[in-house]
Amino acid sequence: ALLDGHECTEILFSQLNAEFRIDSEYFYKSNVKMQTLIKSKKHIAIRDIGVVTDGIHTSIDYDKNSGINLISATSPKQNVFNLTRNAYISEAAHIANPRTALRENDIILSTVGTIGNCAVVNTDILPANSDRHVGIIRLNSSINPYVLSTFLLTKYGRNQTVREATGNVQPNLFLYKIKEIIVPIFGDMFQNTVKEAVLEARQLLKKSDTEYL
């Protein structure tokens, strides 16, 4: 009762995460409330529905004439990609890094700087590769990639990605933290509705870009 009306949260020692984080921002009432709400529903962790990896760790061999897009932290936005950087990786480097070469339906998540922006890879941006400033989520379950990407962009998804990032000057979201993100289990009808809405929005955006050129 003494905590009523104050931005204070009482947490048991057993509830601390693996890093034993005790910073006040991590335990804002709003953060704890959203996490508790998701856990009260049927949910699953990303590690149980797919593989999480990242991009190339070595220096990038650029080639503006290759036509192979290089996806970095500034590329994914709100379910779309911004390729105005016009960054391209060499064909030799692309071939030498098959793990980081992007595939259709990969979910790309920014993990450095602005945390939590994401989009789903489609054929429009392929061929493409990626650097170490993004996380790559490859699903192997019934959850649609467009649904997961959209969830990660909601306040419930952002609450987890931003909350779990570490570092002050340049925040980082590590791969093992992406794997721990929990996602509600959505019905098929809802998933189809979300996917259709995202794809339609992409088409409208593409059409608008064409008509304004």
Side-chain angles (χ1 to χ4, degrees), residues 129-184:
N129 215 302
S130 54
D131 68 18
R132 62 189 175 90
H133 296 146
V134 298
I136 305 168
I137 305 172
R138 291 181 174 139
L139 298 179
N140 55 21
S141 79
S142 58
I143 293 184
N144 188 281
Y146 290 96
V147 174
L148 178 54
S149 178
T150 301
F151 171 77
L152 291 174
L153 291 168
T154 68
K155 66 180 181 181
Y156 299 101
R158 291 275 195 178
N159 177 62
Q160 296 183 73
T161 55
V162 174
R163 187 186 187 208
E164 296 298 342
T166 56
N168 294 321
V169 177
Q170 189 177 52
N172 283 269
L173 178 64
F174 295 109
L175 296 184
Y176 75 96
K177 284 300 182 183
I178 298 176
K179 296 176 183 179
E180 293 175 1
I181 292 173
I182 57 174
V183 186

Short mmCIF file of all heavy atoms in Angstrom, two decimals, residues 129-184:
data_model
loop_
_atom_site.label_atom_id
_atom_site.label_comp_id
_atom_site.label_asym_id
_atom_site.label_seq_id
_atom_site.Cartn_x
_atom_site.Cartn_y
_atom_site.Cartn_z
N ASN A 129 21.93 -9.19 -48.81
CA ASN A 129 22.68 -9.74 -47.69
C ASN A 129 22.55 -8.74 -46.54
O ASN A 129 21.86 -7.73 -46.67
CB ASN A 129 24.14 -10.00 -48.07
CG ASN A 129 24.70 -11.24 -47.38
OD1 ASN A 129 24.71 -11.33 -46.17
ND2 ASN A 129 25.16 -12.21 -48.18
N SER A 130 23.20 -9.01 -45.43
CA SER A 130 22.98 -8.18 -44.25
C SER A 130 24.24 -8.04 -43.42
O SER A 130 25.13 -8.89 -43.47
CB SER A 130 21.87 -8.80 -43.39
OG SER A 130 22.19 -10.14 -43.09
N ASP A 131 24.29 -6.96 -42.65
CA ASP A 131 25.43 -6.79 -41.75
C ASP A 131 25.02 -7.14 -40.32
O ASP A 131 23.87 -7.48 -40.05
CB ASP A 131 26.02 -5.37 -41.86
CG ASP A 131 25.10 -4.28 -41.33
OD1 ASP A 131 24.16 -4.59 -40.58
OD2 ASP A 131 25.33 -3.10 -41.68
N ARG A 132 25.94 -7.04 -39.39
CA ARG A 132 25.73 -7.53 -38.03
C ARG A 132 24.82 -6.65 -37.18
O ARG A 132 24.57 -6.96 -36.02
CB ARG A 132 27.09 -7.67 -37.32
CG ARG A 132 27.85 -6.37 -37.17
CD ARG A 132 29.27 -6.64 -36.67
NE ARG A 132 30.09 -5.42 -36.61
CZ ARG A 132 30.18 -4.63 -35.55
NH1 ARG A 132 29.49 -4.93 -34.46
NH2 ARG A 132 30.94 -3.56 -35.58
N HIS A 133 24.31 -5.57 -37.75
CA HIS A 133 23.45 -4.66 -37.00
C HIS A 133 21.97 -4.99 -37.12
O HIS A 133 21.12 -4.20 -36.71
CB HIS A 133 23.71 -3.21 -37.44
CG HIS A 133 25.10 -2.75 -37.13
ND1 HIS A 133 25.79 -1.87 -37.92
CD2 HIS A 133 25.95 -3.07 -36.11
CE1 HIS A 133 27.00 -1.66 -37.41
NE2 HIS A 133 27.10 -2.38 -36.31
N VAL A 134 21.68 -6.15 -37.70
CA VAL A 134 20.29 -6.60 -37.76
C VAL A 134 20.19 -8.04 -37.27
O VAL A 134 21.15 -8.80 -37.36
CB VAL A 134 19.70 -6.51 -39.19
CG1 VAL A 134 19.69 -5.07 -39.69
CG2 VAL A 134 20.45 -7.41 -40.17
N GLY A 135 19.02 -8.36 -36.75
CA GLY A 135 18.72 -9.75 -36.43
C GLY A 135 17.87 -10.34 -37.54
O GLY A 135 17.04 -9.63 -38.14
N ILE A 136 18.09 -11.60 -37.84
CA ILE A 136 17.33 -12.30 -38.88
C ILE A 136 16.54 -13.41 -38.19
O ILE A 136 17.11 -14.29 -37.55
CB ILE A 136 18.27 -12.91 -39.94
CG1 ILE A 136 19.19 -11.85 -40.53
CG2 ILE A 136 17.46 -13.60 -41.04
CD1 ILE A 136 20.32 -12.43 -41.38
N ILE A 137 15.22 -13.35 -38.32
CA ILE A 137 14.34 -14.36 -37.73
C ILE A 137 13.76 -15.20 -38.86
O ILE A 137 13.08 -14.66 -39.75
CB ILE A 137 13.21 -13.72 -36.90
CG1 ILE A 137 13.79 -12.79 -35.83
CG2 ILE A 137 12.35 -14.81 -36.26
CD1 ILE A 137 12.74 -11.97 -35.10
N ARG A 138 14.01 -16.49 -38.83
CA ARG A 138 13.49 -17.41 -39.84
C ARG A 138 12.54 -18.38 -39.16
O ARG A 138 12.95 -19.26 -38.40
CB ARG A 138 14.63 -18.16 -40.53
CG ARG A 138 15.46 -17.24 -41.40
CD ARG A 138 16.59 -17.93 -42.12
NE ARG A 138 17.24 -16.99 -43.04
CZ ARG A 138 18.54 -16.91 -43.23
NH1 ARG A 138 19.35 -17.73 -42.59
NH2 ARG A 138 19.04 -16.03 -44.07
N LEU A 139 11.26 -18.22 -39.42
CA LEU A 139 10.24 -19.00 -38.74
C LEU A 139 10.10 -20.40 -39.33
O LEU A 139 10.29 -20.60 -40.52
CB LEU A 139 8.89 -18.28 -38.82
CG LEU A 139 8.83 -16.90 -38.15
CD1 LEU A 139 7.45 -16.29 -38.32
CD2 LEU A 139 9.20 -16.98 -36.67
N ASN A 140 9.74 -21.32 -38.46
CA ASN A 140 9.50 -22.69 -38.91
C ASN A 140 8.19 -23.22 -38.36
O ASN A 140 8.00 -24.42 -38.20
CB ASN A 140 10.65 -23.62 -38.48
CG ASN A 140 10.89 -23.58 -36.97
OD1 ASN A 140 10.01 -23.19 -36.20
ND2 ASN A 140 12.07 -23.99 -36.55
N SER A 141 7.28 -22.28 -38.05
CA SER A 141 6.02 -22.69 -37.43
C SER A 141 4.84 -22.09 -38.17
O SER A 141 4.97 -21.51 -39.23
CB SER A 141 5.98 -22.22 -35.97
OG SER A 141 5.65 -20.85 -35.92
N SER A 142 3.67 -22.22 -37.56
CA SER A 142 2.44 -21.76 -38.18
C SER A 142 2.22 -20.26 -38.03
O SER A 142 1.27 -19.72 -38.58
CB SER A 142 1.24 -22.50 -37.58
OG SER A 142 1.19 -22.30 -36.17
N ILE A 143 3.06 -19.57 -37.28
CA ILE A 143 2.92 -18.12 -37.15
C ILE A 143 3.46 -17.45 -38.41
O ILE A 143 4.60 -17.70 -38.81
CB ILE A 143 3.64 -17.60 -35.89
CG1 ILE A 143 2.94 -18.11 -34.64
CG2 ILE A 143 3.67 -16.07 -35.89
CD1 ILE A 143 3.51 -17.57 -33.35
N ASN A 144 2.63 -16.63 -39.02
CA ASN A 144 3.00 -15.97 -40.26
C ASN A 144 4.04 -14.88 -40.00
O ASN A 144 3.93 -14.15 -39.02
CB ASN A 144 1.75 -15.35 -40.89
CG ASN A 144 2.00 -14.80 -42.27
OD1 ASN A 144 2.54 -13.71 -42.42
ND2 ASN A 144 1.62 -15.57 -43.28
N PRO A 145 5.07 -14.75 -40.86
CA PRO A 145 6.10 -13.74 -40.62
C PRO A 145 5.57 -12.31 -40.58
O PRO A 145 6.07 -11.48 -39.83
CB PRO A 145 7.07 -13.94 -41.79
CG PRO A 145 6.33 -14.71 -42.81
CD PRO A 145 5.37 -15.56 -42.06
N TYR A 146 4.53 -12.03 -41.38
CA TYR A 146 3.96 -10.68 -41.38
C TYR A 146 3.24 -10.39 -40.06
O TYR A 146 3.21 -9.24 -39.60
CB TYR A 146 3.00 -10.51 -42.55
CG TYR A 146 3.71 -10.48 -43.89
CD1 TYR A 146 3.83 -11.63 -44.66
CD2 TYR A 146 4.28 -9.30 -44.36
CE1 TYR A 146 4.50 -11.61 -45.88
CE2 TYR A 146 4.95 -9.27 -45.58
CZ TYR A 146 5.06 -10.43 -46.33
OH TYR A 146 5.73 -10.40 -47.53
N VAL A 147 2.70 -11.42 -39.46
CA VAL A 147 2.04 -11.26 -38.16
C VAL A 147 3.07 -11.00 -37.07
O VAL A 147 2.90 -10.10 -36.23
CB VAL A 147 1.19 -12.50 -37.82
CG1 VAL A 147 0.63 -12.40 -36.41
CG2 VAL A 147 0.07 -12.65 -38.83
N LEU A 148 4.17 -11.76 -37.08
CA LEU A 148 5.21 -11.55 -36.07
C LEU A 148 5.85 -10.18 -36.24
O LEU A 148 6.08 -9.47 -35.25
CB LEU A 148 6.27 -12.64 -36.16
CG LEU A 148 7.44 -12.50 -35.18
CD1 LEU A 148 6.95 -12.39 -33.74
CD2 LEU A 148 8.42 -13.67 -35.32
N SER A 149 6.13 -9.79 -37.48
CA SER A 149 6.72 -8.48 -37.72
C SER A 149 5.81 -7.37 -37.21
O SER A 149 6.26 -6.42 -36.56
CB SER A 149 6.99 -8.29 -39.22
OG SER A 149 7.51 -7.01 -39.49
N THR A 150 4.51 -7.50 -37.49
CA THR A 150 3.55 -6.49 -37.03
C THR A 150 3.47 -6.46 -35.52
O THR A 150 3.43 -5.38 -34.90
CB THR A 150 2.16 -6.77 -37.63
OG1 THR A 150 2.27 -6.76 -39.06
CG2 THR A 150 1.16 -5.72 -37.20
N PHE A 151 3.47 -7.64 -34.88
CA PHE A 151 3.45 -7.69 -33.42
C PHE A 151 4.66 -6.98 -32.83
O PHE A 151 4.55 -6.22 -31.87
CB PHE A 151 3.40 -9.13 -32.93
CG PHE A 151 3.58 -9.24 -31.43
CD1 PHE A 151 2.55 -8.93 -30.57
CD2 PHE A 151 4.81 -9.62 -30.90
CE1 PHE A 151 2.73 -8.99 -29.19
CE2 PHE A 151 5.00 -9.69 -29.53
CZ PHE A 151 3.95 -9.37 -28.67
N LEU A 152 5.84 -7.23 -33.42
CA LEU A 152 7.05 -6.61 -32.89
C LEU A 152 7.02 -5.09 -33.00
O LEU A 152 7.70 -4.39 -32.24
CB LEU A 152 8.28 -7.15 -33.64
CG LEU A 152 8.62 -8.62 -33.37
CD1 LEU A 152 9.75 -9.08 -34.28
CD2 LEU A 152 9.01 -8.84 -31.90
N LEU A 153 6.20 -4.58 -33.92
CA LEU A 153 6.08 -3.13 -34.09
C LEU A 153 5.03 -2.50 -33.19
O LEU A 153 4.97 -1.28 -33.06
CB LEU A 153 5.75 -2.80 -35.56
CG LEU A 153 6.88 -3.07 -36.56
CD1 LEU A 153 6.35 -2.99 -37.99
CD2 LEU A 153 8.02 -2.07 -36.37
N THR A 154 4.19 -3.34 -32.56
CA THR A 154 3.19 -2.82 -31.63
C THR A 154 3.86 -2.44 -30.31
O THR A 154 5.03 -2.76 -30.07
CB THR A 154 2.10 -3.87 -31.35
OG1 THR A 154 2.68 -4.96 -30.61
CG2 THR A 154 1.46 -4.36 -32.64
N LYS A 155 3.10 -1.79 -29.45
CA LYS A 155 3.67 -1.40 -28.15
C LYS A 155 4.07 -2.62 -27.32
O LYS A 155 4.99 -2.55 -26.52
CB LYS A 155 2.69 -0.52 -27.38
CG LYS A 155 1.41 -1.20 -26.95
CD LYS A 155 0.51 -0.22 -26.18
CE LYS A 155 -0.78 -0.89 -25.72
NZ LYS A 155 -1.65 0.08 -24.99
N TYR A 156 3.40 -3.75 -27.55
CA TYR A 156 3.72 -4.96 -26.80
C TYR A 156 5.03 -5.59 -27.29
O TYR A 156 5.78 -6.16 -26.49
CB TYR A 156 2.58 -5.96 -26.90
CG TYR A 156 1.28 -5.43 -26.34
CD1 TYR A 156 0.28 -4.93 -27.17
CD2 TYR A 156 1.06 -5.39 -24.97
CE1 TYR A 156 -0.90 -4.42 -26.65
CE2 TYR A 156 -0.11 -4.88 -24.43
CZ TYR A 156 -1.09 -4.39 -25.29
OH TYR A 156 -2.24 -3.88 -24.76
N GLY A 157 5.29 -5.49 -28.57
CA GLY A 157 6.55 -5.97 -29.11
C GLY A 157 7.69 -5.03 -28.79
O GLY A 157 8.77 -5.44 -28.35
N ARG A 158 7.44 -3.72 -29.01
CA ARG A 158 8.47 -2.72 -28.72
C ARG A 158 8.85 -2.73 -27.25
O ARG A 158 10.00 -2.50 -26.89
CB ARG A 158 7.95 -1.32 -29.09
CG ARG A 158 7.79 -1.09 -30.57
CD ARG A 158 9.09 -0.64 -31.19
NE ARG A 158 8.88 -0.08 -32.50
CZ ARG A 158 9.84 0.42 -33.25
NH1 ARG A 158 11.09 0.42 -32.82
NH2 ARG A 158 9.57 0.91 -34.44
N ASN A 159 7.87 -2.97 -26.40
CA ASN A 159 8.15 -3.02 -24.97
C ASN A 159 9.23 -4.05 -24.67
O ASN A 159 10.10 -3.83 -23.82
CB ASN A 159 6.88 -3.37 -24.20
CG ASN A 159 7.13 -3.52 -22.70
OD1 ASN A 159 7.53 -2.58 -22.04
ND2 ASN A 159 6.91 -4.72 -22.19
N GLN A 160 9.21 -5.16 -25.40
CA GLN A 160 10.20 -6.21 -25.16
C GLN A 160 11.54 -5.90 -25.82
O GLN A 160 12.59 -6.07 -25.19
CB GLN A 160 9.66 -7.55 -25.67
CG GLN A 160 8.42 -8.02 -24.91
CD GLN A 160 7.95 -9.37 -25.36
OE1 GLN A 160 8.55 -10.41 -25.08
NE2 GLN A 160 6.84 -9.40 -26.09
N THR A 161 11.53 -5.47 -27.08
CA THR A 161 12.80 -5.22 -27.76
C THR A 161 13.56 -4.05 -27.14
O THR A 161 14.77 -4.14 -26.89
CB THR A 161 12.58 -4.96 -29.26
OG1 THR A 161 11.64 -3.90 -29.45
CG2 THR A 161 12.07 -6.21 -29.97
N VAL A 162 12.86 -2.96 -26.89
CA VAL A 162 13.52 -1.79 -26.31
C VAL A 162 13.91 -2.05 -24.86
O VAL A 162 15.00 -1.67 -24.42
CB VAL A 162 12.59 -0.55 -26.40
CG1 VAL A 162 13.21 0.64 -25.67
CG2 VAL A 162 12.33 -0.19 -27.85
N ARG A 163 13.06 -2.72 -24.13
CA ARG A 163 13.33 -3.02 -22.72
C ARG A 163 14.55 -3.90 -22.55
O ARG A 163 15.34 -3.73 -21.62
CB ARG A 163 12.10 -3.69 -22.10
CG ARG A 163 12.20 -3.91 -20.60
CD ARG A 163 11.01 -4.71 -20.11
NE ARG A 163 11.00 -4.80 -18.65
CZ ARG A 163 10.46 -5.80 -17.97
NH1 ARG A 163 9.89 -6.80 -18.62
NH2 ARG A 163 10.49 -5.81 -16.65
N GLU A 164 14.74 -4.86 -23.46
CA GLU A 164 15.83 -5.82 -23.32
C GLU A 164 17.14 -5.33 -23.95
O GLU A 164 18.16 -6.00 -23.84
CB GLU A 164 15.44 -7.15 -23.95
CG GLU A 164 14.27 -7.85 -23.25
CD GLU A 164 14.57 -8.21 -21.81
OE1 GLU A 164 15.76 -8.24 -21.41
OE2 GLU A 164 13.61 -8.45 -21.05
N ALA A 165 17.12 -4.18 -24.62
CA ALA A 165 18.35 -3.63 -25.19
C ALA A 165 19.25 -3.12 -24.07
O ALA A 165 18.77 -2.69 -23.02
CB ALA A 165 18.02 -2.51 -26.16
N THR A 166 20.55 -3.18 -24.28
CA THR A 166 21.51 -2.71 -23.29
C THR A 166 22.46 -1.71 -23.92
O THR A 166 22.70 -1.74 -25.13
CB THR A 166 22.31 -3.88 -22.70
OG1 THR A 166 22.94 -4.61 -23.77
CG2 THR A 166 21.41 -4.82 -21.93
N GLY A 167 23.03 -0.84 -23.10
CA GLY A 167 23.96 0.17 -23.59
C GLY A 167 23.32 1.53 -23.59
O GLY A 167 22.12 1.68 -23.87
N ASN A 168 24.11 2.56 -23.30
CA ASN A 168 23.58 3.92 -23.20
C ASN A 168 23.82 4.74 -24.47
O ASN A 168 22.89 5.29 -25.05
CB ASN A 168 24.23 4.64 -22.01
CG ASN A 168 23.83 4.02 -20.68
OD1 ASN A 168 22.68 3.63 -20.51
ND2 ASN A 168 24.76 3.91 -19.76
N VAL A 169 25.06 4.81 -24.93
CA VAL A 169 25.38 5.62 -26.10
C VAL A 169 24.79 5.00 -27.36
O VAL A 169 24.14 5.67 -28.16
CB VAL A 169 26.91 5.78 -26.26
CG1 VAL A 169 27.23 6.58 -27.52
CG2 VAL A 169 27.50 6.48 -25.02
N GLN A 170 25.00 3.71 -27.54
CA GLN A 170 24.45 2.99 -28.69
C GLN A 170 23.82 1.68 -28.21
O GLN A 170 24.50 0.68 -28.03
CB GLN A 170 25.54 2.70 -29.72
CG GLN A 170 24.98 2.15 -31.04
CD GLN A 170 26.07 1.94 -32.06
OE1 GLN A 170 27.09 1.29 -31.79
NE2 GLN A 170 25.88 2.49 -33.26
N PRO A 171 22.50 1.70 -27.99
CA PRO A 171 21.83 0.49 -27.49
C PRO A 171 22.00 -0.69 -28.43
O PRO A 171 22.06 -0.53 -29.65
CB PRO A 171 20.36 0.92 -27.42
CG PRO A 171 20.38 2.41 -27.38
CD PRO A 171 21.57 2.82 -28.20
N ASN A 172 22.09 -1.88 -27.85
CA ASN A 172 22.21 -3.12 -28.62
C ASN A 172 21.19 -4.13 -28.11
O ASN A 172 20.99 -4.26 -26.90
CB ASN A 172 23.61 -3.72 -28.48
CG ASN A 172 24.64 -3.00 -29.32
OD1 ASN A 172 24.89 -3.36 -30.46
ND2 ASN A 172 25.25 -1.97 -28.75
N LEU A 173 20.58 -4.84 -29.04
CA LEU A 173 19.70 -5.94 -28.69
C LEU A 173 20.37 -7.22 -29.14
O LEU A 173 20.53 -7.46 -30.34
CB LEU A 173 18.33 -5.78 -29.37
CG LEU A 173 17.32 -6.90 -29.11
CD1 LEU A 173 16.93 -6.94 -27.63
CD2 LEU A 173 16.08 -6.71 -29.98
N PHE A 174 20.79 -8.04 -28.20
CA PHE A 174 21.55 -9.24 -28.53
C PHE A 174 20.63 -10.37 -28.99
O PHE A 174 19.45 -10.42 -28.65
CB PHE A 174 22.39 -9.68 -27.33
CG PHE A 174 23.46 -8.68 -26.97
CD1 PHE A 174 23.37 -7.92 -25.81
CD2 PHE A 174 24.56 -8.51 -27.80
CE1 PHE A 174 24.35 -7.00 -25.48
CE2 PHE A 174 25.55 -7.58 -27.48
CZ PHE A 174 25.45 -6.83 -26.32
N LEU A 175 21.21 -11.30 -29.76
CA LEU A 175 20.42 -12.36 -30.36
C LEU A 175 19.70 -13.22 -29.32
O LEU A 175 18.55 -13.61 -29.51
CB LEU A 175 21.31 -13.25 -31.23
CG LEU A 175 21.95 -12.60 -32.46
CD1 LEU A 175 22.71 -13.64 -33.26
CD2 LEU A 175 20.90 -11.92 -33.32
N TYR A 176 20.36 -13.51 -28.21
CA TYR A 176 19.72 -14.38 -27.23
C TYR A 176 18.51 -13.70 -26.60
O TYR A 176 17.58 -14.37 -26.13
CB TYR A 176 20.73 -14.84 -26.16
CG TYR A 176 21.11 -13.82 -25.12
CD1 TYR A 176 20.46 -13.79 -23.89
CD2 TYR A 176 22.14 -12.91 -25.35
CE1 TYR A 176 20.83 -12.87 -22.92
CE2 TYR A 176 22.51 -11.99 -24.39
CZ TYR A 176 21.86 -11.96 -23.18
OH TYR A 176 22.22 -11.04 -22.23
N LYS A 177 18.49 -12.37 -26.62
CA LYS A 177 17.33 -11.64 -26.11
C LYS A 177 16.17 -11.69 -27.11
O LYS A 177 15.00 -11.71 -26.71
CB LYS A 177 17.71 -10.19 -25.80
CG LYS A 177 18.49 -10.03 -24.50
CD LYS A 177 17.67 -10.53 -23.33
CE LYS A 177 18.38 -10.36 -22.01
NZ LYS A 177 17.58 -10.92 -20.88
N ILE A 178 16.50 -11.68 -28.41
CA ILE A 178 15.45 -11.81 -29.42
C ILE A 178 14.77 -13.17 -29.26
O ILE A 178 13.55 -13.28 -29.36
CB ILE A 178 16.03 -11.67 -30.84
CG1 ILE A 178 16.64 -10.27 -31.02
CG2 ILE A 178 14.95 -11.90 -31.89
CD1 ILE A 178 17.34 -10.08 -32.36
N LYS A 179 15.57 -14.19 -29.01
CA LYS A 179 15.02 -15.54 -28.84
C LYS A 179 14.05 -15.63 -27.67
O LYS A 179 13.14 -16.46 -27.67
CB LYS A 179 16.16 -16.55 -28.65
CG LYS A 179 17.09 -16.69 -29.85
CD LYS A 179 18.23 -17.64 -29.55
CE LYS A 179 19.21 -17.72 -30.72
NZ LYS A 179 20.34 -18.63 -30.44
N GLU A 180 14.24 -14.78 -26.66
CA GLU A 180 13.41 -14.83 -25.46
C GLU A 180 12.10 -14.05 -25.60
O GLU A 180 11.22 -14.15 -24.73
CB GLU A 180 14.20 -14.30 -24.26
CG GLU A 180 15.37 -15.18 -23.87
CD GLU A 180 16.19 -14.57 -22.75
OE1 GLU A 180 15.84 -13.46 -22.28
OE2 GLU A 180 17.18 -15.19 -22.33
N ILE A 181 11.94 -13.27 -26.66
CA ILE A 181 10.72 -12.48 -26.84
C ILE A 181 9.53 -13.42 -26.93
O ILE A 181 9.55 -14.42 -27.63
CB ILE A 181 10.82 -11.62 -28.11
CG1 ILE A 181 11.88 -10.52 -27.93
CG2 ILE A 181 9.47 -10.99 -28.46
CD1 ILE A 181 12.17 -9.73 -29.19
N ILE A 182 8.47 -13.09 -26.19
CA ILE A 182 7.28 -13.93 -26.20
C ILE A 182 6.19 -13.29 -27.07
O ILE A 182 6.05 -12.07 -27.12
CB ILE A 182 6.75 -14.21 -24.79
CG1 ILE A 182 6.46 -12.91 -24.03
CG2 ILE A 182 7.73 -15.07 -24.02
CD1 ILE A 182 5.80 -13.15 -22.67
N VAL A 183 5.46 -14.15 -27.76
CA VAL A 183 4.46 -13.72 -28.74
C VAL A 183 3.15 -14.44 -28.47
O VAL A 183 3.14 -15.66 -28.26
CB VAL A 183 4.93 -14.05 -30.17
CG1 VAL A 183 3.97 -13.48 -31.19
CG2 VAL A 183 6.35 -13.57 -30.40
N PRO A 184 2.03 -13.71 -28.46
CA PRO A 184 0.73 -14.39 -28.30
C PRO A 184 0.48 -15.35 -29.45
O PRO A 184 0.94 -15.14 -30.57
CB PRO A 184 -0.28 -13.24 -28.31
CG PRO A 184 0.51 -12.01 -27.97
CD PRO A 184 1.88 -12.25 -28.54
#
